[in-house]
Amino acid sequence: SQPAKISLQIHPYGKKRKLVLTRDVTAVQLAEAMRRDFVANVSHEIRTPLTVLSGFVETMQSIPLEEDDRARYLGLMSQQAQRMQTLVSDLLTLSRLEGSPAPGPGEWIDSEELLTHVIQEAQGLTQAIAQPPHEIRAMAAASFWVSGAKTELLSAMSNLLSNAVRYTPGGGRIEAGWRLRPDGGGEFFVTDTGPGIAAEHLPRLTERFYRVDRSRSRETGGTGLGLAIVKHVAQRHGGQVEVQSTPGQGSTFQVVLPASRVRERVTG
Ligand code: ADP
């Protein structure tokens, strides 16, 4: 957003000069509009599962159900409750990221250790939701130390991997790894053979609640906040998120870290 401009005008009123401060309100108005949008979005995201949930409660109160149906209804109700829990947890993560100072140099973390952790998680996810499961490969392009907040980095990495698993049709190929950049920085990348994303959506992907494929996001338990979280983590570490995507072929997402956060491993 743009900074508010303050302009000074000096009006000659008779002998005395009067100082008039006019503040450019566009930036303030923009921030206010964004806040309203955000509240409307959150309300909508919470209302949908609540409506479904109370619909089931009413049905169960009004008609006697066979044991099978009862179990099925309870399963569906628990899914809706889970959805709200995920949403609240993502909202809390975002607000913590927005409200706390950027992590200092922190500890030096083994990039391979981070990778192994999130790859294992993604293997579990694909076994649970993809038919057939994806082939997920850890690309050990380089192994180095990265500095920062470990839980934040893990959360950014696993968000990218879980998106690849959730949006790539079953049986697809997903590759993830760390690699060094020519400028001495490092990046974590995830490449998938999924549907890809049309160019017009790319600039907006990291906006809170922005979704290209709304129904796919919902079906797979998406909150629309994942990439906003990834962007915050990257920026807090002095880096950024990059995306390359070809519709019909797949996407590559990257969390890029600056050279100051990367230390090459000295071997031998
Ligand atoms: P969500 O919880 O909806 O997945 P995200 O913020 O993680 O929210 O992603 C925003 C949107 O970007 C998704 O709804 C989806 O449309 C699109 N997207 C993200 N990752 C991928 C991917 N690997 N392939 C295709 N589309 C993706």
Side-chain angles (χ1 to χ4, degrees):
S1 67
Q2 294 168 333
K5 266 185 266 160
I6 294 178
S7 47
L8 289 176
Q9 295 170 335
I10 297 178
H11 290 263
Y13 287 126
K15 281 183 187 158
K16 280 187 185 163
R17 281 170 176 257
K18 193 173 178 189
L19 193 64
V20 181
L21 285 179
T22 54
R23 186 143 194 259
D24 182 350
V25 289
T26 30
V28 179
Q29 280 171 346
L30 198 72
E32 179 56 22
M34 280 174 66
R35 195 194 60 81
R36 269 200 308 268
D37 255 22
F38 180 64
V39 172
N41 275 324
V42 172
S43 312
H44 177 79
E45 296 292 332
I46 291 175
R47 194 170 53 189
T48 313
L50 265 183
T51 308
V52 179
L53 204 50
S54 45
F56 279 122
V57 171
E58 272 166 35
T59 309
M60 292 182 82
Q61 280 171 334
S62 59
I63 50 169
L65 291 172
E66 302 273 320
E67 189 50 40
D68 278 5
D69 285 338
R70 219 179 78 89
R72 196 164 53 85
Y73 278 30
L74 287 173
L76 292 167
M77 289 163 77
S78 142
Q79 253 175 35
Q80 298 303 318
Q82 177 63 49
R83 197 172 138 187
M84 284 190 282
Q85 255 158 16
T86 313
L87 176 66
V88 169
S89 139
D90 277 2
L91 284 168
L92 284 173
T93 303
L94 255 186
S95 101
R96 263 197 300 270
L97 291 175
E98 284 174 348
S100 65
E107 43 176 335
W108 286 98
I109 315 154
D110 185 345
S111 67
E112 227 168 69
E113 180 196 325
L114 296 173
L115 180 63
T116 309
H117 187 105
V118 292
I119 289 277
Q120 270 171 9
E121 214 177 60
Q123 304 279 18
L125 183 63
T126 191
Q127 297 292 338
I129 70 167
Q131 202 41 264
H134 302 96
E135 183 197 328
I136 302 181
R137 260 196 283 178
M139 309 299 283
S143 159
F144 43 86
W145 306 97
V146 294
S147 89
K150 189 169 172 180
T151 42
E152 287 184 27
L153 292 171
L154 281 173
S155 130
M157 293 166 68
S158 75
N159 262 303
L160 291 188
L161 262 168
S162 96
N163 278 354
V165 171
R166 288 167 46 237
Y167 293 104
T168 304
R173 213 176 54 247
I174 296 168
E175 297 177 347
W178 282 94
R179 60 189 169 211
L180 288 165
R181 311 240 308 177
D183 66 359
E187 67 189 15
F188 172 71
F189 66 93
V190 177
T191 298
D192 65 50
T193 54
I197 301 159
E200 79 241 36
H201 296 292
L202 298 182
R204 300 196 58 190
L205 284 186
T206 58
E207 281 175 27
R208 298 180 290 195
F209 297 117
Y210 189 84
R211 294 168 168 117
V212 181
D213 186 344
R214 191 160 284 275
S215 59
R216 179 97 193 130
S217 166
R218 288 263 159 73
E219 272 164 35
T220 57
T223 60
L225 297 173
L227 289 177
I229 292 175
V230 178
K231 183 183 86 173
H232 269 90
V233 171
Q235 287 182 345
R236 285 161 59 77
H237 286 78
Q240 80 245 17
V241 182
E242 290 179 0
V243 196
Q244 293 94 38
S245 191
T246 313
Q249 288 187 19
S251 315
T252 297
F253 282 81
Q254 279 143 210
V255 170
V256 180
L257 297 182
S260 59
R261 297 248 179 211
V262 173
R263 190 178 286 170
E264 276 188 72
R265 193 192 293 277
V266 184
T267 47

